[in-house]
Amino acid sequence: MAGGAQHIQAEAGERYEVFHTDCPARDVVGHVTSRWGVWVLISLRSNDLRFYELRESIQGISEKMLAQTLRALVQDGLVWREVEPTTPPQVTYGLTEFGRDVGEPLTELFDRITRRLSPRNAG
């Protein structure tokens, strides 16, 4: 996780300039709110999952997009990745403390939306 955006902290009392194009928080927000980032964080909210389990839990995502999304979320420090030295390697993903903190309001938003949908609109 070294080099992840969560390690770049503003001085006490200072805030990131989130509207500036060079703000590192913008990249993290972009990865979290990407088409697949939200679903990865929500899928990992309860359990650590292997790559194939994540792929099966998020219908419509390709292996390529899942790999790209996970790579970005790991780099941002939201998701951890563990490789078991087996043949073939088994890779497990889970939320870091930062990922749980960021994912909590997303889960609440998802739950609020699904509670308000009529049964015929629910997925």
Side-chain angles (χ1 to χ4, degrees):
M1 283 194 304
Q6 84 280 7
H7 296 295
I8 304 169
Q9 304 226 348
E11 294 296 322
E14 290 183 27
R15 308 253 330 152
Y16 282 118
E17 294 293 328
V18 295
F19 294 105
H20 192 278
T21 57
D22 293 336
C23 179
R26 286 180 79 157
D27 288 335
V28 175
V29 170
H31 297 149
V32 168
T33 61
S34 70
R35 178 174 183 187
W36 302 111
V38 170
W39 302 117
V40 168
L41 293 176
I42 289 173
S43 293
L44 291 172
R45 71 182 178 234
S46 302
N47 298 312
D48 303 338
L49 297 172
R50 292 204 170 125
F51 184 88
Y52 76 90
E53 293 171 321
L54 262 172
R55 190 184 70 230
E56 289 175 3
S57 73
I58 306 170
Q59 293 185 3
I61 193 169
S62 68
E63 284 191 26
K64 178 182 176 183
M65 286 310 303
L66 179 57
Q68 288 177 358
T69 301
L70 285 166
R71 193 174 307 117
L73 295 174
V74 167
Q75 183 176 356
D76 292 339
L78 297 162
V79 171
W80 56 261
R81 176 181 189 265
E82 181 180 81
V83 180
E84 296 177 37
T86 58
T87 306
Q90 294 182 345
V91 184
T92 304
Y93 295 90
L95 294 179
T96 63
E97 183 180 338
F98 183 37
R100 284 189 300 276
D101 191 39
V102 169
E104 187 176 327
L106 296 174
T107 298
E108 289 175 17
L109 176 65
F110 175 76
D111 291 343
R112 285 179 187 204
I113 290 170
T114 56
R115 279 194 308 266
R116 298 287 240 157
L117 289 176
S118 64
R120 63 185 169 98
N121 292 337

